[in-house]
Amino acid sequence: MKILHSRPTEDGFYMPAEFAEHEGCIMIFPHRRDSWQYGAYAARKAFVQVAEVIACSEKLTVCARYEDYDSARAMLPDHVRVIEMESDDAWARDVAPTFVINGKTIRGIDWGFNAWGGLHDGLYFPWDKDNKMARKLCDLLEADTYDQRDFILEGGSIHTDGEGTLLTTEACLLSKGRNPDFSKEEIEQRLKDCLGVKKIIWLPSGIYQDETNEHVDNICAFTAPAEVVLAWTDDENDPQYALSKSCLAVLERATDAKGRKLTVHKLPLPKPVTMTAEECEGLDWMDGQPTRIPNERLAASYVNFYISNRHVVCPQFGDDNDGKAIAILQALFPTRTVIGIEAREILIGGGNIHCITQQIPRRDLSCQQSM
Ligand code: KQY
């Protein structure tokens, strides 16, 4: 496939919203022993449950390393495509391409990936296998590839409405470990040039303790044009309170690319989810340091859901708010069924259901959406 050095927007391409129809989805089979406790066996079961729901209505491709291929093939349903591909970890949202369309054709964007901050505050080294995945996946899907490797970006740090508006966080995109030589204006311009967006809504922060420097996909997501959900707590003593409140203030003032005010739906957070000593013992150390410590709070949020063609796949934490989150999302997605998946095993890795998935939009969606 061709490697392109132009910019998608100038070529008439844009990134559709996740709630628009998908051709498929990409996931990666987990294996990393310093991310997933006790050899990733329980994490694999959780990934498979997510895969089973998505594969009901989308062509799902799961990438597995050579040594994990047989397990992946055996654990996943027959109609899921399993391919052999090297990876450093299992975060398809961040290492698979961002797909853009023009109403007829699909192309992938190959952003630079440096494990959420490179040598500054990245989460592992090396990350070269992850960094090569976008281009390999474009080849597999026969999609020409925009070379944007000079710009570090993860899919979890952006959400679009497909109608010209993008949500992101300052905490992540302005972090020192990503594009320290780019000004905020230059970052905005790159997002506009690549994703067909005209308006960027900068939320100040994300979820407390989110080790991605606070990806937007854990705190806020579009559920429809001009409608968002925001992770929320009423507990003023929770450090999350100030973070969510500052985001709410921005969202309440904001208008989107079409001049509409946003409707903000608060999605309650679960009570703090923390690591147990036993879970910590099940993780390999990295560079002589434990990757998690007992009582460490994890960045649990119901906002980290995936919207498939027929379902919304929502994390569950064994919390009183699990059912409330499902009920709120079900009301917001009346044409889909919301399915809860026990997600503690995924959360231990540092992300959640949205982070382990990357949608492939239908290439023939109306182009009008970006106008
Ligand atoms: O949340 C994500 N998009 C990725 C999380 C990476 C955590 C690595 N331990």
Side-chain angles (χ1 to χ4, degrees):
M1 300 312 299
K2 283 204 289 266
I3 305 296
L4 305 167
H5 295 282
S6 55
R7 297 272 162 84
T9 305
E10 78 192 40
D11 295 342
F13 284 74
Y14 76 102
M15 180 186 175
E18 188 173 324
F19 52 74
E21 280 276 305
H22 300 171
E23 275 179 24
C25 179
I26 297 165
M27 293 178 65
I28 304 168
F29 203 61
H31 55 84
R32 206 181 157 98
R33 302 174 66 92
D34 52 18
S35 285
W36 313 103
Q37 59 162 338
Y38 297 102
Y41 297 112
R44 287 176 182 183
K45 288 189 182 159
F47 273 57
V48 168
Q49 285 173 17
V50 172
E52 284 170 348
V53 179
I54 294 172
C56 291
S57 62
E58 302 189 354
K59 180 168 178 53
L60 176 64
T61 300
V62 177
C63 306
R65 298 183 311 167
Y66 166 80
E67 48 275 60
D68 306 322
Y69 176 86
D70 287 342
S71 299
R73 184 61 286 170
M75 289 177 74
L76 287 156
D78 292 350
H79 58 290
V80 170
R81 170 166 63 177
V82 182
I83 61 157
E84 190 186 312
M85 192 179 289
E86 288 298 307
S87 68
D88 294 298
D89 203 348
W91 305 102
R93 177 64 46 186
D94 297 339
V95 302
T98 299
F99 292 100
V100 288
I101 61 160
N102 69 351
K104 293 195 293 282
T105 310
I106 188 160
R107 294 178 175 169
I109 303 179
D110 177 16
W111 310 106
F113 175 79
N114 70 357
W116 309 276
L119 300 181
H120 178 72
D121 60 353
L123 300 176
Y124 47 71
F125 176 87
W127 53 77
D128 55 307
K129 295 188 180 78
D130 280 350
N131 197 24
K132 288 183 178 151
M133 292 187 83
R135 203 162 282 190
K136 292 180 184 176
L137 285 160
C138 284
D139 263 336
L140 177 81
L141 298 165
E142 301 186 351
D144 289 342
T145 313
Y146 285 103
D147 181 351
Q148 292 293 320
R149 286 182 172 179
D150 65 317
F151 187 71
I152 301 293
L153 190 95
E154 305 100 37
S157 68
I158 52 169
H159 261 311
T160 61
D161 65 354
E163 299 191 356
T165 312
L166 181 136
L167 283 169
T168 191
T169 63
E170 290 172 345
C172 179
L173 260 64
L174 306 184
S175 61
K176 290 276 167 286
R178 288 184 172 78
N179 301 293
D181 299 330
F182 283 64
S183 67
K184 187 174 182 182
E185 291 67 36
E186 288 168 331
I187 291 173
E188 279 222 1
Q189 196 55 52
R190 185 66 72 104
L191 297 172
K192 289 176 178 169
D193 290 348
C194 288
L195 299 168
V197 295
K198 293 190 174 70
K199 171 97 185 244
I200 293 163
I201 298 175
W202 291 90
L203 303 180
S205 37
I207 292 289
Y208 179 64
Q209 291 274 91
D210 185 329
E211 61 196 15
T212 64
N213 305 97
E214 304 174 30
H215 273 179
V216 75
D217 69 347
N218 221 9
I219 185 143
C220 188
F222 284 109
T223 56
E227 294 214 27
V228 298
V229 281
L230 174 69
W232 187 258
T233 174
D234 286 319
D235 179 358
E236 296 187 17
N237 296 317
D238 185 331
Q240 182 60 43
Y241 180 79
L243 303 180
S244 290
K245 199 162 169 240
S246 64
C247 292
L248 181 63
V250 170
L251 291 166
E252 285 180 336
R253 277 199 312 270
T255 51
D256 69 9
K258 293 195 162 177
R260 297 172 291 209
K261 297 284 289 174
L262 301 177
T263 303
V264 183
H265 304 274
K266 291 177 178 169
L267 204 50
L269 284 154
K271 282 185 292 302
V273 177
T274 56
M275 288 292 289
T276 67
E278 197 200 347
E279 286 167 342
C280 293
E281 278 168 26
L283 289 165
D284 274 359
W285 289 31
M286 189 191 294
D287 300 331
Q289 300 288 328
T291 53
R292 299 260 178 254
I293 52 170
N295 301 318
E296 175 180 340
R297 180 165 169 182
L298 300 168
S301 163
Y302 299 110
V303 172
N304 211 300
F305 54 79
Y306 177 75
I307 309 168
S308 76
N309 287 338
R310 284 220 313 265
H311 300 101
V312 173
V313 197
C314 177
Q316 301 281 273
F317 304 102
D319 187 271
D320 289 347
N321 280 340
D322 282 2
K324 208 179 277 178
I326 290 194
I328 292 170
L329 290 173
Q330 190 59 75
L332 293 171
F333 290 101
T335 63
R336 294 171 163 97
T337 305
V338 181
I339 306 278
I341 302 280
E342 280 305 325
R344 187 178 178 94
E345 294 295 336
I346 306 174
L347 180 63
I348 287 173
N352 223 306
I353 293 172
H354 195 254
C355 311
I356 63 169
T357 53
Q358 177 64 280
Q359 73 274 6
I360 306 167
R362 264 181 70 164
R363 63 194 69 202
D364 59 354
L365 294 170
S366 157
C367 242
Q368 296 310 309
Q369 292 186 78
S370 66
M371 300 305 157

